[in-house]
C-alpha cells in the first residue's frame, strides 16, 4: 500500500506564542495541551512523479479540491524538501479533513500542519528506512510542523508540551516542542476544555499578520519578558498542582495576547461582545463555586472554558444553562487534554 494516514490534534496554549523572528523562531516560549476531539486527519498516497526535483501534488480538502490550500501545501512541502531527499521526484495525492467544521473559528493550522508533518516523516521512514537530518521521529515531526505553523510544533505530543528556549533549561529549544508530561501534577492531566463557539466567521486579521504587527509593537519587549516569566511560573504551578493559580495565569496570558492586538498599529479586536459576556459569566461561576475553572482564548472570538474533570457535571450544567445561549447557534466542542497524534493502523 502506497499510503500513510495520520490524525493529529489541535492544541490550546496556556502561555501564548505571539511574535517571531525569521525561520519561525518564537520570541518567547509557550506551553499548551493537545486536544482530543478537535483534530485533522491527513492521508498521503505516493506514486512516481513527472519531475526529478521536488514533488508534485494534488489535494482534496473534505473530499473537494481546494486550490488555495493546495498551493500553500505544495509550496510548504517544496520548501522543506532539503529535509526529505528521499521524497524527490514523487507525486503526492493528499486528502485532509477536520473533525470540526472549517468555519468554526477553531485554529486548524496546528492540527493540519502537524498531521502533514507526521505523514511526511512517516513516509520518509517507510521509504528510506531511517530519517535524514534528525534521528528522533517526534523531534523531526515537531521541527517540520513548526516550519509550517509555529503552534503546530506542539501538537506532535500527547498532553502538555513546551516550545521555545528557556534560560538554564537545556531540554527546551526554539527548534521543536518538548513534552513535559512527567513534570505535570496528575490533577492537570484530565482537565476538560469546553470550546464555546462565539463566531464562525473568518478572522479579519490572520495570525501571520498578527505576528508581523509584533515586530514594531511598542509593548513587544515587555510582552516577551512577561511570557518568559510566566513560562517559568506555569511550569512551577503545573508541577505543584496549584489549580487556582493555573487558571488565573492562563487568563492573564489570554488577555495579554488580546491586549497586544488591541494596541497594535493598526489596532484590531478579535473578541466579540459575547466573548466578554462569557468571560464575565465564567468568572462569576468561579467566584460563586470556588471551582478552579477559567478561560483562555486563541487568536479569535471563541472561548476555551477549562475545568477539572472532577467538577464536570456541575460545569456542564452551567455550560448548558448559562453559556450556550451566548454561543452562535448554541454550538460548542466538548474537548479535553488529549492523547496525541495517531498513525492510522494498516498503512505503515
Ligand atoms: O501558529 P500560528 O502562527 O498560527 O500562531 C498561533 C498563535 C496563537 O494561537 C495565538 C497562540 C499559540 O501559542 O498557540
Amino acid at each position: 500500500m502506497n499510503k500513510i494516514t495520520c490524525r493529529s490534534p489541535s492544541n490550546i496554549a496556556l502561555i501564548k506564542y505571539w511574535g517571531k523572528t525569521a525561520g519561525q523562531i518564537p520570541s518567547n516560549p509557550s506551553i499548551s495541551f493537545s486536544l482530543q476531539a478537535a483534530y485533522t486527519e491527513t492521508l498521503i498516497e505516493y506514486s512516481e512523479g513527472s519531475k526529478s526535483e521536488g514533488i508534485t501534488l494534488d489535494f482534496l480538502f473534505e473530499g473537494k479540491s481546494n486550490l488555495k490550500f493546495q498551493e500553500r501545501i505544495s509550496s510548504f512541502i517544496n520548501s522543506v524538501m532539503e529535509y526529505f531527499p528521499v521524497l524527490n521526484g514523487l507525486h503526492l495525492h493528499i486528502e485532509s479533513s477536520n473533525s470540526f467544521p472549517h468555519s468554526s473559528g477553531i485554529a486548524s493550522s496546528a492540527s493540519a500542519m502537524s498531521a502533514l508533518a507526521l505523514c511526511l516523516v512517516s513516509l520518509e521512514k517507510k521509504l528510506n528506512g531511517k530519517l535524514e537530518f534528525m534521528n528522533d521521529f517526534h523531534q523531526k515531526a515537531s521541527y517540520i510542523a513548526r516550519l509550517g505553523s509555529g503552534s503546530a510544533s506542539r501538537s506532535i505530543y500527547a498532553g502538555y508540551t513546551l516550545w521555545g528556549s528557556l534560560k538554564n533549561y537545556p531540554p527546551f529549544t526554539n527548534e521543536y516542542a518538548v513534552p513535559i508530561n512527567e513534570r505535570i501534577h496528575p490533577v492537570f492531566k484530565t482537565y476538560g476544555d469546553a470550546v464555546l463557539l462565539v463566531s464562525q466567521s473568518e478572522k479579519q486579521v490572520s495570525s501571520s499578520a498578527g505576528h508581523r504587527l509584533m515586530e514594531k509593537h511598542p509593548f513587544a519587549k515587555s510582552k516577551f519578558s512577561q511570557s518568559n516569566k510566566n513560562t517559568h511560573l506555569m511550569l512551577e504551578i503545573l508541577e505543584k498542582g496549584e489549580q487556582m493559580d493555573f487558571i488565573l495565569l492562563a487568563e492573564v496570558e489570554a488577555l495579554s495576547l488580546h491586549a497586544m492586538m488591541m494596541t497594535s498599529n493598526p489596532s484590531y479586536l478579535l473578541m466579540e461582545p459575547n466573548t466578554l459576556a462569557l468571560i464575565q459569566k465564567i468568572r462569576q461561576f468561579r467566584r460563586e463555586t470556588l471551582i478552579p475553572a477559567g478561560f483562555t482564548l486563541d487568536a479569535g472570538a471563541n472561548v476555551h472554558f477549562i475545568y477539572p474533570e472532577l467538577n464536570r457535571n456541575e460545569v456542564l450544567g452551567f455550560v448548558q444553562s448559562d453559556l450556550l445561549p451566548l454561543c452562535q447557534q448554541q454550538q460548542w466542542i466538548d474537548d479535553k487534554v488529549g492523547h496525541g497524534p495517531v498513525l492510522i493502523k494498516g498503512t505503515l
Side-chain angles (χ1 to χ4, degrees):
M1 291 268 278
N2 310 343
K3 285 184 194 165
I4 300 275
T5 310
C6 295
R7 175 186 293 178
S8 190
S10 186
N11 69 73
I12 180 68
L14 302 160
I15 304 296
K16 308 291 183 184
Y17 149 61
W18 199 240
K20 60 179 171 182
T21 52
Q24 212 81 299
I25 298 301
S27 300
N28 61 259
S30 54
I31 297 180
S32 63
F33 62 76
S34 289
L35 296 175
Q36 182 64 20
Y39 60 80
T40 298
E41 206 165 285
T42 296
L43 166 149
I44 298 190
E45 195 175 340
Y46 59 94
S47 53
E48 217 33 66
S50 52
K51 295 198 315 184
S52 54
E53 276 300 299
I55 51 106
T56 53
L57 67 80
D58 64 283
F59 176 71
L60 296 181
F61 179 67
E62 309 210 309
K64 295 195 195 104
S65 71
N66 182 319
L67 282 181
K68 196 174 122 198
F69 286 178
Q70 176 165 324
E71 271 161 31
R72 189 169 165 200
I73 289 173
S74 168
S75 88
F76 168 67
I77 299 182
N78 279 304
S79 77
V80 295
M81 281 307 287
E82 62 184 294
Y83 305 110
F84 300 104
V86 75
L87 303 189
N88 258 315
L90 291 184
H91 178 81
L92 307 180
H93 165 74
I94 305 183
E95 293 182 23
S96 198
S97 57
N98 292 335
S99 64
F100 47 90
H102 176 56
S103 56
S104 62
I106 298 289
S108 57
S109 67
S111 54
M113 283 301 174
S114 56
L116 186 59
L118 284 160
C119 280
L120 292 173
V121 181
S122 306
L123 194 53
E124 181 192 25
K125 196 163 168 210
K126 180 177 177 173
L127 297 176
N128 206 26
K130 65 179 170 88
L131 303 179
E132 300 294 339
F133 178 68
M134 285 165 108
N135 297 325
D136 186 280
F137 180 92
H138 289 94
Q139 273 174 17
K140 181 162 182 178
S142 178
Y143 183 100
I144 298 297
R146 178 197 112 228
L147 296 174
S149 165
S151 57
S153 66
R154 299 185 309 242
S155 278
I156 300 296
Y157 302 96
Y160 290 74
T161 62
L162 192 154
W163 169 46
S165 46
L166 256 192
K167 230 180 175 171
N168 306 326
Y169 260 111
F172 301 124
T173 158
N174 287 332
E175 308 214 315
Y176 48 82
V178 174
I180 53 171
N181 295 308
E182 51 327 328
R183 296 165 178 269
I184 306 284
H185 192 282
V187 79
F188 293 121
K189 295 194 175 171
T190 54
Y191 254 65
D193 180 0
V195 190
L196 305 163
L197 304 181
V198 173
S199 167
Q200 292 155 47
S201 48
E202 189 134 338
K203 282 186 284 192
Q204 296 147 346
V205 181
S206 69
S207 286
S208 322
H211 284 293
R212 264 197 309 278
L213 283 169
M214 287 305 285
E215 287 165 18
K216 290 187 182 152
H217 199 294
F219 305 145
K221 227 174 136 196
S222 22
K223 167 68 172 72
F224 301 149
S225 126
Q226 179 202 30
S227 288
N228 233 298
K229 287 190 194 125
N230 287 345
T231 305
H232 286 281
L233 256 177
M234 187 57 99
L235 275 177
E236 232 180 277
I237 288 170
L238 287 168
E239 259 169 35
K240 291 190 180 149
E242 293 162 338
Q243 287 178 272
M244 205 52 101
D245 290 345
F246 168 74
I247 288 299
L248 296 179
L249 190 57
E251 292 189 356
V252 166
E253 275 286 317
L255 293 180
S256 201
L257 167 72
H258 282 258
M260 290 301 106
M261 300 170 188
M262 290 192 256
T263 51
S264 296
N265 188 4
S267 72
Y268 62 107
L269 265 172
L270 295 183
M271 289 191 280
E272 301 270 346
N274 280 352
T275 311
L276 290 179
L278 286 165
I279 288 176
Q280 303 284 34
K281 289 250 179 205
I282 288 170
R283 285 187 160 172
Q284 192 186 344
F285 174 77
R286 182 168 64 240
R287 273 196 301 274
E288 286 168 6
T289 62
L290 299 178
I291 293 174
F295 68 87
T296 186
L297 307 165
D298 230 326
N302 297 329
V303 175
H304 288 248
F305 180 27
I306 51 181
Y307 62 89
E309 158 83 36
L310 187 68
N311 302 107
R312 181 168 163 88
N313 286 345
E314 210 169 341
V315 164
L316 288 198
F318 167 65
V319 167
Q320 292 288 346
S321 62
D322 287 55
L323 304 186
L324 291 194
L326 295 164
C327 296
Q328 199 164 54
Q329 294 161 341
Q330 309 243 348
Q331 285 197 78
W332 70 295
I333 298 173
D334 185 5
D335 219 326
K336 61 180 181 182
V337 175
H339 305 313
V342 276
L343 299 176
I344 308 281
K345 283 196 179 89
T347 51
L348 256 182

